[in-house]
Amino acid sequence: MRAFLDIPADSPFSLQNLPFGVFSTADNPTARVGVAVGDWVLDLAVLQRAGLFDGPWLRERLVFAQPALNAFMVLGRPAWREARQRLQDLLRADNPALRDDEALRARALWRREAVTMHLPATIGDYTDFYASREHATTVGALLRGPDSALQPNWLHLPVAYHSRASSVVVSGTDIRRPWGQIHPEGAPGPIMEPTRQLDFELEMAYFVGPGNPLGAPIPIEQAAEHIFGLVLMNDWSARDIQRWEYRPLGPFLGKSFATSISPWVVTLEALEPFRVPGPHQEPEPLPYLRRREHRAYDVHLEVHLQSDRMERPQIIARSNHRYLYWDICQQLAHHTSNGCNLRPGDLLGSGTISGPTPEAGGSLLEVTRLGERPIRLEGGDARRFLADGDRVTMTGWCQGDGYRVGFGEVTARILPARAG
């Protein structure tokens, strides 16, 4: 496919991608739905009002003149597919409907640098999984010792915890260093102070589409029909707060202060050419979790760190979505196996995505081995954990034949803790 717009081969937002997001502009602060294509954002509310969505699912449903994607998500895969196919058709180089309508293009096309991005959905609930075997093994060994790195249940079910939807923020939002209760080594008791061990976690997350009624589990063979698309995610972590509080119940204040996501949601249709087998699972999961098809994706992931003294960011980690032991359909099927109801716009995170090589650690906890092996930054600085002023940027993309399906980036800068 070739678009009438000039799209570089290395653009994350090719015609094969067309991710959905929510944006506003300086002259129109009303948030509405758009898609990213090359260096442009296409205003879907304008196209819908112009009558260019004439299929059965979108002809009379004004889902794009909304400040969130939830109304579109609830319609399910037939509507998602209809919108994607129509947009690809409208953007093709040989289709004059949008190409030759200068007045419509002037209202509908915005340069990406001229728009403000918002959270793509109203997130009612947010669950974070713990689905990377390499991450779970490394962290377990560091915190509990190598003989008990993986808990007995880990190879039998996708472990997860319920986190805070209220503190999920869009890329570009600065993160304030949190206060918390920590117990320094050798201290007689805990103290209350800003975290000394602020960390990132390289993750991907997906948005739920139609969801399920309370008491009605989603079978694994139907799980993909309830997944709208994926984003990049940085689940910020305060390791010293987390370590002191996590027993016996799990993550709480060491995690809930902030989670950052990228603004563009890449659909499963766009990712379809990049499906690959996930890691072999032994022992075989129970029947309700057995894979019916491959649902890992070949998404190249990178973490960049730039201190306030550095002229450019430095890559400190590389990983891939395909390393996840538990795939997204297994996660969703397990989440609903007890009858838990998921709703449109719910966010489900993968947990830290680490891989089998030293450079594939998805957090500083792993890369520095709990601070014992600091990384060296260009210019001479070292990092055990994140410092004030540091900017962390994560990127991800699938590489096709002459095109990319990318996620853009999720980025944030660390601000100092508030005065005590």
Side-chain angles (χ1 to χ4, degrees):
M1 292 183 291
R2 189 168 65 88
F4 69 80
L5 297 169
D6 182 21
I7 303 177
D10 61 351
S11 169
F13 304 129
S14 61
L15 191 57
Q16 290 84 352
N17 189 355
L18 300 183
F20 293 86
V22 173
F23 76 102
S24 62
T25 52
D27 64 342
N28 183 1
T30 301
R32 65 268 195 198
V33 176
V35 297
V37 53
D39 294 328
W40 301 85
V41 174
L42 183 61
D43 190 330
L44 301 193
V46 168
L47 298 189
Q48 194 161 36
R49 292 192 186 100
L52 293 184
F53 290 102
D54 54 2
W57 283 96
L58 299 174
R59 185 184 299 116
E60 298 177 359
R61 297 177 175 90
L62 297 180
V63 295
F64 298 132
Q66 304 288 335
L69 280 162
N70 299 59
F72 183 45
M73 291 172 172
V74 76
L75 298 180
R77 193 159 306 283
W80 309 339
R81 186 178 293 116
E82 178 184 306
R84 173 177 166 79
Q85 291 172 349
R86 181 59 173 150
L87 289 168
Q88 286 182 328
D89 181 55
L90 286 170
L91 289 164
R92 289 175 72 103
D94 57 358
N95 187 339
L98 183 59
R99 183 196 66 193
D100 295 348
D101 191 332
E102 293 186 12
L104 182 59
R105 289 204 321 273
R107 299 197 311 273
L109 281 171
W110 300 87
R111 301 292 298 190
R112 273 198 294 118
E113 66 267 20
V115 307
T116 298
M117 298 304 299
H118 306 274
L119 280 176
T122 300
I123 303 169
D125 283 297
Y126 158 40
T127 301
D128 197 25
F129 283 87
Y130 191 45
S132 163
R133 183 170 185 171
E134 288 81 5
H135 174 68
T137 300
T138 301
V139 172
L142 287 170
L143 297 181
R144 294 186 297 269
D147 294 337
S148 56
L150 286 183
Q151 297 285 21
N153 66 342
W154 200 94
L155 294 173
H156 295 274
L157 57 84
V159 174
Y161 73 97
H162 192 71
S163 194
R164 287 292 302 180
S166 64
S167 54
V168 178
V169 296
V170 74
S171 175
T173 305
D174 291 337
I175 303 301
R176 181 76 62 178
R177 181 178 296 272
W179 283 72
Q181 191 176 129
I182 67 174
H183 189 189
E185 186 175 355
I191 58 175
M192 187 71 174
E193 70 172 27
T195 178
R196 305 176 187 180
Q197 297 182 346
L198 186 57
D199 200 357
F200 63 82
E201 287 192 342
L202 172 62
E203 303 194 25
M204 299 191 73
Y206 54 97
F207 281 101
V208 173
N212 59 304
L214 182 65
I218 297 174
I220 192 169
E221 58 268 17
Q222 298 176 18
E225 298 302 306
H226 295 267
I227 297 173
F228 175 71
L230 281 73
V231 294
L232 301 170
M233 188 167 88
N234 183 349
D235 190 30
W236 304 92
S237 299
R239 299 302 185 186
D240 42 6
I241 299 173
Q242 180 186 8
R243 189 167 59 250
W244 174 238
E245 73 178 359
Y246 89 107
R247 294 180 181 177
L249 293 179
F252 184 36
L253 299 182
K255 293 278 194 175
S256 62
F257 60 94
T259 300
S260 302
I261 65 172
S262 55
W264 294 109
V265 188
V266 178
T267 64
L268 291 195
E269 279 75 20
L271 294 172
E272 183 66 20
F274 306 100
R275 282 168 52 186
V276 292
H280 175 69
Q281 294 185 322
E282 182 65 38
E284 185 178 34
L286 294 175
Y288 80 99
L289 284 174
R290 289 177 190 164
R291 292 171 176 154
R292 304 302 194 267
E293 57 188 4
H294 299 313
R295 280 295 172 184
Y297 295 94
D298 186 13
V299 184
H300 175 81
L301 300 168
E302 292 183 352
V303 181
H304 302 243
L305 177 61
Q306 183 176 10
S307 74
D308 55 8
R309 294 175 51 183
M310 295 169 62
E311 295 183 358
R312 58 184 181 273
Q314 176 179 330
I315 297 176
I316 61 171
R318 292 182 175 93
S319 191
N320 197 295
H321 183 271
R322 69 190 304 166
Y323 296 147
L324 286 175
Y325 187 87
W326 296 103
D327 68 40
I328 58 178
C329 288
Q330 291 175 313
Q331 292 172 17
L332 190 140
H334 182 67
H335 200 317
T336 65
S337 62
N338 68 344
C340 174
N341 55 320
L342 300 179
R343 297 173 294 183
D346 283 356
L347 185 69
L348 276 64
S350 64
T352 305
I353 304 175
S354 301
T357 61
E359 70 167 0
S363 65
L364 285 175
L365 175 70
E366 298 163 85
V367 173
T368 70
R369 290 301 190 267
L370 201 55
E372 293 182 358
R373 304 175 190 173
I375 58 172
R376 298 293 171 183
L377 300 178
E378 296 173 5
D381 286 347
R383 286 291 182 276
R384 290 177 169 84
F385 292 97
L386 296 173
D388 294 344
D390 285 351
R391 176 173 291 278
V392 178
T393 302
M394 298 173 179
T395 61
W397 69 88
C398 306
Q399 185 62 54
D401 184 8
Y403 70 94
R404 282 185 174 181
V405 170
F407 293 79
E409 65 179 32
V410 55
T411 187
R413 184 171 56 99
I414 305 302
L415 301 181
R418 297 191 185 277

